[in-house]
Amino acid sequence: MDSPNQPGPKRSWAKRLGILGAVTVPALLSGCTKEQIATGFFPVESKGATNHTEAYTALWNGAWIALLVLGVVVWALILWAMIAYRRRKNDRGLPVQLRYSMPIEILFTVTPIIVILGFFFQSVQVMEKTTDDRTPGEQVIEVAGKQWAWDFNYVTENVHYAGTQVPLDGTEAPGENAPTLYLPVDTDLEIRLRSRDVIHSFWIPAFLEKRDMIPGHDQSLHVRAEKEGEYVGKCAELCGEYHSEMLFNVRVVSQEEFAEYTQSLADQGNTGILGPEYDRNWYPKEGAQP
């Protein structure tokens, strides 16, 4: 025979959850700086780096904040249902096996649709400002990826830089002797991307943009660098044995310094463009000069 319920001390689950949250959230966030939180845990140097980074950061921050709020509501409802409808000591038999609430059903159907549509339209707007940006470039620069280095053609200035593979020294930085891409600040850039051999990927983490470089399928990145400084670039596609050494530096400099640099390339004899004749599978057309 079942024994009667034995009254015990009342427990405030809401109070316990509130205390747990008050302790856990500050503990998790205590290791984060204001800059990290403001940039959505993207590289801190990405703030203001280009005319695209703000749009990417806003989309990312808005997404995870909205989903965090939505997640807290769902978790709260789950915990409330677990506690409010748990089996008591004096319960007999099985609980009702089929029960629903029309308002809750509508809420759980309509809310995901609204969230998905909101993310869709926000993503489209950001893509129009960033990925689909086709602003004509005041400076056209061609970046050619090759196993395992980079060539930089400053098309507008008609000079080039031929990169060599980076010897790793145990640090994450490419080093002073790594290929260095110079970009003029506050200038509309058209960066044309191509591969000389296998699939590579052009990635400057601070710019929050990455483009695959597929042989025979050239791409371009239209961007404006808005903050002078030094950044790190790398290949983000496994491209062979020495993929990890396919690194490069990026220097965003004043227009005067950029002009001095390109002039120095011309003074060294690096005039003209390193074209497709240096591609691995390039075959000249009949009558063409290599």
Side-chain angles (χ1 to χ4, degrees), residues 6 40 45 83 115 141 171 173 175 192 195 208 245 264 275 285 287:
Q6 299 296 325
E45 59 270 21
I83 296 170
V115 172
I141 301 172
T171 66
R192 299 173 181 172
S195 172
L208 306 183
E245 299 182 15
S264 70
K285 296 180 180 179

Side-chain angles (χ1 to χ4, degrees), residues 18-267:
I19 295 174
L20 180 62
V23 173
T24 303
V25 172
L28 292 174
L29 296 178
S30 61
C32 307
T33 64
K34 293 181 179 179
E35 291 78 10
Q36 288 175 320
I37 296 175
T39 56
F41 302 97
F42 285 146
V44 175
E45 59 270 21
S46 68
K47 186 175 182 180
T50 74
N51 60 328
H52 293 169
T53 54
E54 183 178 349
Y56 286 128
T57 303
L59 176 65
W60 171 248
N61 281 343
W64 72 258
I65 290 174
L67 292 177
L68 181 61
V69 172
L70 190 60
V72 169
V73 173
V74 173
W75 297 331
L77 289 174
I78 291 174
L79 292 174
W80 172 75
M82 291 171 59
I83 296 170
Y85 298 103
R86 71 188 187 280
R87 185 181 180 87
R88 270 73 172 185
K89 292 183 178 181
N90 58 349
D91 289 341
R92 300 292 183 269
L94 296 174
V96 177
Q97 298 299 295
L98 183 62
R99 179 180 294 173
Y100 67 91
S101 169
M102 186 58 68
I104 294 295
E105 295 288 341
I106 295 174
L107 175 66
F108 283 178
T109 302
V110 173
T111 302
I113 295 176
I114 295 175
V115 172
I116 292 173
L117 288 177
F119 285 154
F120 172 77
F121 287 113
Q122 288 294 323
S123 298
V124 169
Q125 290 180 359
V126 171
M127 289 182 64
E128 290 177 349
K129 298 177 182 178
T130 57
T131 307
D132 299 335
D133 186 357
R134 290 297 179 268
T135 303
E138 300 172 56
Q139 286 286 341
V140 177
I141 301 172
E142 183 182 75
V143 177
K146 59 186 182 181
Q147 292 179 314
W148 286 272
W150 307 85
D151 291 337
F152 304 131
N153 289 322
Y154 299 92
V155 179
T156 305
E157 306 299 328
N158 195 37
V159 293
H160 66 266
Y161 171 89
T164 56
Q165 186 175 329
V166 175
L168 295 180
D169 59 3
T171 66
E172 295 183 0
E176 290 296 327
N177 296 325
T180 301
L181 175 62
Y182 279 75
L183 302 176
V185 72
D186 293 327
T187 303
D188 289 325
L189 304 171
E190 179 184 345
I191 303 177
R192 299 173 181 172
L193 306 171
R194 58 187 307 273
S195 172
R196 297 199 184 281
D197 36 51
V198 299
I199 298 177
H200 299 289
S201 188
F202 177 81
W203 185 30
I204 304 175
F207 285 11
L208 306 183
E209 299 201 56
K210 179 168 59 177
R211 296 287 190 278
D212 286 338
M213 306 166 74
I214 302 173
H217 298 275
D218 298 349
Q219 288 207 68
S220 63
L221 170 62
H222 295 250
V223 69
R224 173 186 284 263
E226 297 185 335
K227 183 173 67 175
E228 294 186 29
E230 297 187 7
Y231 307 94
V232 174
K234 60 184 71 178
C235 175
E237 183 72 31
L238 182 59
C239 57
E241 183 177 3
Y242 297 102
H243 160 71
S244 61
E245 299 182 15
M246 196 169 170
L247 307 172
F248 64 98
N249 293 312
V250 179
R251 290 182 182 172
V252 179
V253 298
S254 65
Q255 297 187 22
E256 293 76 15
E257 186 174 347
F258 178 78
E260 292 176 1
Y261 172 72
T262 54
Q263 182 59 48
S264 70
L265 291 178
D267 295 341

Side-chain angles (χ1 to χ4, degrees), residues 2-19:
D2 292 336
S3 60
N5 287 340
Q6 299 296 325
K10 294 183 180 180
R11 300 176 180 177
S12 175
W13 290 95
K15 184 176 180 180
R16 290 188 176 186
L17 290 175
I19 295 174

